[in-house]
Amino acid sequence: GYRSLRKIEGIIREEMDAAGAQEIHMSALQPAELWQESGRWYAYGPEMWRLKDRNERDFCLGPTHEEIFTDIVRDEVSSYRQLPLNLYQIQTKYRDEKRPRFGLMRSREFIMKDAYSFDRNWEGLDKSYQDMYGAYEKVFTRCGLVFRAVEADTGAIGGSASHEFTALSDVGESEIAYCDHCDMAATTERAACVDDAPDTESELPMEKVVTPGTKTIEEVAGFLKVDQKKTIKALLFKVYGEAEDQFEYVAAFIRGDRELNMTKLVNALGIPEHAIEFANENEMGEATGAVGGFTGPTGLHDCKIVVDSELIGQKNLVAGACEVDHHIKNVNYDRDYKGDIVTDLKLLKVGDKCPLCGAPVKMARGIAVGQVFKLGTKYSKSMGAYYKDENMESQLIIMGCYGIGVTRTLAAIVEQHHDDNGIIWPMSVAPYHAIVTIVSSGDEVQTALAEAIYQELQKAGVEAVLDDRNERPGVKFKDADILGIPVRITVGKKAAEGLVEYKLRKEASFTEISGHEAAAQAIAYIASELNK
Ligand code: ATP
Ligand code: MG
């Protein structure tokens, strides 16, 4: 695994260097002061590993390095002549993930390649971003991955635009929405939704109705015999401020048949993801009038109201009455309630209208292996990173940042390249290109022929491994399959006639040829795969 990891790192280095980036290496241990300057000592939340030194000063183990790189550049760069600049490192990151899982996929210590670009202006950033985007396409293609670059949310990193590189896989945690009729492709977190056309019916007077025990949308729609599209769903939250005892209640309203997109809600509120949790209904009820299962927008007080934009045009809906076992019919926006924030809060679902062209969208799952961000001035402004232009005037540096999950990429390659017997490495990242297996290690003829083939491969620059262990043949074959080495040359009984078995890991069949022919075929095949 480590050999494959080093090969992935090698591919990344080649493509980053070719794109004009320079490699440096920074400390994983970072002082709190830099994060306080950017505001992320608070905003990053519980995912950050925090620690103190012997003098009680705060530090963290870096989850990412925007602050550190901005700090170097504000000290080292003073003139426009030093820009553009792109610095990267391949380094260990630490994140106290809520749900670490699937081995290397989501771990609390992992290797990331992180790059940071520094430009004079937004056009410069556009170019740096495009260059990195192109380099990422090359990296993931060379790693043998089938992937898609899709629009993404900027999350805890921030900035104005972002793309995620997603290796397609049914076991992936990322869900992407895409359209076959146009270029739309985005993570579902990010994907915009189209509001349904406004209703044309006229507004009817509100009417309170008894709806015993109907706490869910399904129950109330069934009880009142209305379409779920004619109901309003309430979701109740408690949002914490930066000071520990500071908080407010938030109610989000969407149409009954829709689902809430938490990322959109968090972005609308302008808060970090860790600052929000589902409200305790009793506690919230006392403060705001909300009633578990029967909360609607008309009866609330002391609570921030966030309304999905689609509700504006929908008429005569059923909503909770903020009274146990009661709902209100014919609730209409503006006349009966207003939102403090009105925005798209919906989760895009398969078959929904594409936000660009209106065709039904499709969904796929994948593993997020990399992400690129246009940061703009988020860090240069908060941390004071300026350069002097031709007129000796101070200007903010325009930044971008670009991450690849190196260890996660390793795992993603295995997810895409395996069968029931184990891994099938693409040649570019295989730990060894070829394995020479001796069937009976005690047999002198077999050993001599295997050694000769092994030497021939080595001489040609093939990374070969010789399995001369004193194990049963079945064990050796099984291990070779699990390890996934692309070419296997098996030296057995027919060694006496000079014959060996030549087999590719990805194919079931083998051919019987001379030892020399096998070596020559392996050398040619490996070279052609590596030059692909
Ligand atoms: P995710 O949404 O999967 O948590 P992220 O948006 O937090 O990812 P970034 O901050 O953009 O990730 O980090 C860059 C890359 O590092 C990601 O695209 C991913 O490949 C990798 N990565 C992030 N977190 C982990 C982790 N816990 N374990 C392994 N790799 C990770
Ligand atoms: Mg994350």
Side-chain angles (χ1 to χ4, degrees):
Y2 189 56
R3 284 182 70 97
S4 290
L5 189 72
R6 297 247 313 239
K7 292 203 174 170
I8 298 168
E9 290 182 358
I11 289 171
I12 293 173
R13 279 202 176 88
E14 281 175 25
E15 296 302 339
M16 292 304 291
D17 292 349
Q22 297 174 59
E23 186 172 8
I24 63 173
H25 197 82
M26 303 307 295
S27 163
L29 189 63
Q30 306 183 9
E33 285 78 10
L34 294 177
W35 291 80
Q36 282 153 354
E37 273 188 69
S38 72
R40 288 209 296 179
W41 186 251
Y42 162 71
Y44 215 95
E47 214 175 280
M48 184 186 271
W49 285 101
R50 294 160 205 260
L51 58 161
K52 287 185 191 293
D53 72 2
R54 64 177 73 203
N55 299 315
E56 292 291 306
R57 284 181 54 207
D58 285 313
F59 286 81
C60 71
L61 292 174
T64 173
H65 278 221
E66 283 74 21
E67 281 78 359
I68 297 286
F69 278 69
T70 307
D71 182 52
I72 310 175
V73 165
R74 72 178 167 185
D75 289 345
E76 298 294 330
V77 168
S78 52
S79 160
Y80 69 94
R81 288 189 208 90
Q82 294 165 280
L83 299 175
L85 185 66
N86 189 327
L87 301 172
Y88 78 98
Q89 64 177 350
I90 295 176
Q91 193 241 18
T92 307
K93 298 281 184 274
Y94 297 86
R95 294 183 184 181
D96 192 356
E97 296 278 352
K98 202 184 214 168
R99 278 185 289 275
R101 52 183 161 176
F102 307 138
L104 294 176
M105 287 284 185
R106 184 173 300 281
S107 46
R108 292 188 289 184
E109 175 176 316
F110 60 97
I111 300 172
M112 197 202 286
K113 184 285 301 176
D114 44 328
Y116 305 85
S117 67
F118 303 88
D119 276 282
R120 298 176 60 179
N121 49 37
W122 290 89
E123 295 77 59
L125 170 60
D126 287 345
K127 180 169 186 315
S128 298
Y129 190 85
Q130 245 359 88
D131 288 349
M132 286 296 106
Y133 190 107
Y136 276 34
E137 290 183 315
K138 289 185 186 146
V139 165
F140 296 126
T141 303
R142 286 180 63 186
C143 287
L145 287 174
V146 178
F147 65 93
R148 266 190 103 126
V150 304
E151 262 187 58
D153 185 65
T154 53
I157 305 285
S160 62
S162 178
H163 284 87
E164 179 180 289
F165 287 76
T166 308
L168 301 180
S169 163
D170 288 339
V171 304
E173 290 185 285
S174 270
E175 192 178 39
I176 59 177
Y178 65 96
C179 178
D180 278 341
H181 295 263
C182 74
D183 286 343
M184 195 286 295
T187 61
T188 47
E189 287 175 343
R190 168 73 181 188
C193 289
V194 185
D195 291 348
D196 256 3
D199 285 334
T200 47
E201 61 195 77
S202 48
E203 295 186 357
L204 302 172
M206 282 205 286
E207 185 190 335
K208 188 149 88 178
V209 287
V210 182
T211 52
T214 59
K215 288 196 157 195
T216 66
I217 289 292
E218 246 177 11
E219 287 164 353
V220 73
F223 182 81
L224 293 175
K225 300 194 172 49
V226 296
D227 195 315
Q228 292 187 14
K229 287 187 177 176
K230 282 293 187 188
T231 67
I232 298 178
K233 189 190 280 182
L235 294 116
L236 309 176
F237 300 96
K238 190 173 185 181
V239 171
Y240 293 91
E242 206 165 330
E244 260 170 42
D245 53 349
Q246 206 182 13
F247 68 86
E248 67 172 343
Y249 289 109
V250 170
F253 293 100
I254 53 177
R255 210 172 63 182
D257 62 316
R258 298 286 198 177
E259 268 175 47
L260 179 71
N261 181 327
M262 270 308 274
T263 304
K264 288 180 183 173
L265 178 63
V266 158
N267 288 344
L269 292 167
I271 54 164
E273 219 178 288
H274 62 82
I276 191 165
E277 64 181 28
F278 281 105
N280 171 317
E281 284 172 350
N282 296 335
E283 225 177 71
M284 179 166 176
E286 256 169 55
T288 67
V291 175
F294 298 94
T295 302
T298 53
L300 287 175
H301 51 85
D302 298 308
C303 170
K304 187 176 266 176
I305 294 184
V306 190
V307 175
D308 181 55
S309 47
E310 187 171 59
L311 290 179
I312 308 296
Q314 309 282 299
K315 299 291 176 200
N316 305 323
L317 305 180
V318 172
C322 289
E323 193 180 322
V324 177
D325 292 343
H326 286 79
H327 279 82
I328 301 181
K329 284 186 177 175
N330 305 327
V331 173
N332 291 297
Y333 189 81
D334 225 25
R335 185 191 71 180
D336 307 325
Y337 71 100
K338 287 194 170 71
D340 298 302
I341 302 173
V342 178
T343 188
D344 172 20
L345 294 175
K346 299 175 284 300
L347 194 65
L348 191 67
K349 292 232 211 69
V350 69
D352 282 355
K353 279 186 187 154
C354 166
L356 295 186
C357 77
V361 297
K362 297 194 165 172
M363 297 281 171
R365 297 202 74 81
I367 300 161
V369 285
Q371 197 167 345
V372 292
F373 300 82
K374 287 188 185 175
L375 296 174
T377 57
K378 172 169 173 174
Y379 297 91
S380 49
K381 204 176 207 167
S382 55
M383 298 182 66
Y386 296 93
Y387 70 94
K388 288 227 160 47
D389 66 15
E390 289 96 328
N391 306 317
M392 290 304 284
E393 277 175 36
S394 256
Q395 306 285 357
L396 279 173
I397 297 177
I398 311 294
M399 290 174 56
C401 74
Y402 317 91
I404 292 180
V406 183
T407 32
R408 188 184 283 181
T409 297
L410 182 78
I413 295 170
V414 174
E415 282 307 331
Q416 286 191 359
H417 298 271
H418 70 268
D419 62 13
D420 289 346
N421 298 321
I423 307 171
I424 307 173
W425 288 109
M427 197 64 78
S428 58
V429 292
Y432 293 93
H433 302 138
I435 180 165
V436 182
T437 304
I438 307 176
V439 174
S440 312
S441 316
D443 185 300
E444 274 172 33
V445 179
Q446 289 182 25
T447 303
L449 181 57
E451 290 273 3
I453 295 167
Y454 176 71
Q455 296 300 341
E456 199 173 335
L457 293 174
Q458 293 269 50
K459 237 180 252 157
V462 166
E463 295 172 32
V465 64
L466 180 70
D467 190 353
D468 57 359
R469 291 176 301 164
N470 189 18
E471 287 284 358
R472 280 179 295 115
V475 172
K476 295 186 191 177
F477 296 149
K478 227 180 167 97
D479 284 348
D481 277 353
I482 288 175
L483 287 177
I485 298 169
V487 178
R488 186 172 85 206
I489 298 173
T490 308
V491 186
K493 280 207 183 93
K494 290 202 177 161
E497 305 160 42
L499 292 178
V500 301
E501 286 171 19
Y502 176 85
K503 183 182 174 300
L504 299 184
R505 172 66 180 83
K506 65 179 181 193
E507 285 168 13
S509 62
F510 61 84
T511 52
E512 229 171 37
I513 48 180
S514 79
H516 175 67
E517 268 172 343
Q521 258 191 42
I523 291 163
Y525 172 68
I526 290 160
S528 78
E529 285 293 299
L530 289 176
N531 287 329
K532 251 194 197 160

